[in-house]
Amino acid sequence: MPGEESYVCKFRKTQRRRFFDRGDREGEKFIYKSILVENAPHGDKEILDMLIKYKNQNLKDAAINKDAYSFTVFLYEKNNSTSYFIENADDPGGLTSQVLQDYYSKNGIGEITIDKCGNDKDWTAKISYFDMQRNLKDTILYNCKNDKK
């Protein structure tokens, strides 16, 4: 509905801690979690504003695990398909496999990725979101300064 404020419902069972198993970051920890959004906005500007607001309110430096290289939040529209994951963890095996990431291309709103800079003191942040045509767009919130890879 017009004028209706979006709000976010956190999943209870989806924050994961993993380690990169290849590449330049092999052995470094990354963390990701998924969030379900009720009454999600649909316009590009409104989606971007919501993602920036979520980042500013919920992803302060204290919330980012200092020993992880990367922290990503995936945001999905809450609907009948994605609501299953509020009470249930991913179930990748068996005849009725249910994995939230499988719904990202259809029900994903966007993602917020915060990566550690090469100096290990600063962070870079990027927001990616789906526009009205389901194309993924990127917005860099801040970059590393004088970071040499």
Side-chain angles (χ1 to χ4, degrees), residues 52-65:
I52 291 171
K53 181 178 177 181
Y54 180 83
K55 185 243 170 248
N56 290 340
Q57 290 179 348
N58 297 286
L59 301 178
K60 307 221 183 308
D61 288 343
I64 300 169
N65 190 312

Side-chain angles (χ1 to χ4, degrees), residues 5-20:
E5 182 72 22
S6 296
Y7 65 95
V8 176
C9 172
K10 292 184 181 180
F11 289 128
R12 292 189 278 176
K13 299 179 181 176
T14 57
Q15 182 159 320
R16 307 274 191 244
R17 298 170 192 274
R18 301 283 189 260
F19 292 90
F20 291 102

Side-chain angles (χ1 to χ4, degrees), residues 3-96:
E4 202 169 323
E5 182 72 22
S6 296
Y7 65 95
V8 176
C9 172
K10 292 184 181 180
F11 289 128
R12 292 189 278 176
K13 299 179 181 176
T14 57
Q15 182 159 320
R16 307 274 191 244
R17 298 170 192 274
R18 301 283 189 260
F19 292 90
F20 291 102
D21 61 359
R22 62 183 85 92
D24 292 343
R25 298 292 175 192
E26 184 174 358
E28 293 192 51
K29 187 187 331 181
F30 66 93
I31 300 170
Y32 66 94
K33 68 178 181 175
S34 300
I35 303 293
L36 198 65
V37 179
E38 288 188 342
N39 305 318
H42 294 285
D44 293 358
K45 181 182 178 341
E46 292 81 10
I47 291 171
L48 185 58
D49 288 348
M50 180 201 67
L51 292 168
I52 291 171
K53 181 178 177 181
Y54 180 83
K55 185 243 170 248
N56 290 340
Q57 290 179 348
N58 297 286
L59 301 178
K60 307 221 183 308
D61 288 343
I64 300 169
N65 190 312
K66 300 294 185 210
D67 64 339
Y69 168 76
S70 183
F71 182 83
T72 302
V73 178
F74 296 95
L75 292 98
Y76 295 81
E77 288 185 63
K78 182 181 178 190
N79 59 31
N80 290 336
S81 298
T82 58
S83 292
Y84 169 85
F85 297 98
I86 294 173
E87 297 293 329
N88 300 284
D90 286 344
D91 181 12
L95 296 174
T96 58

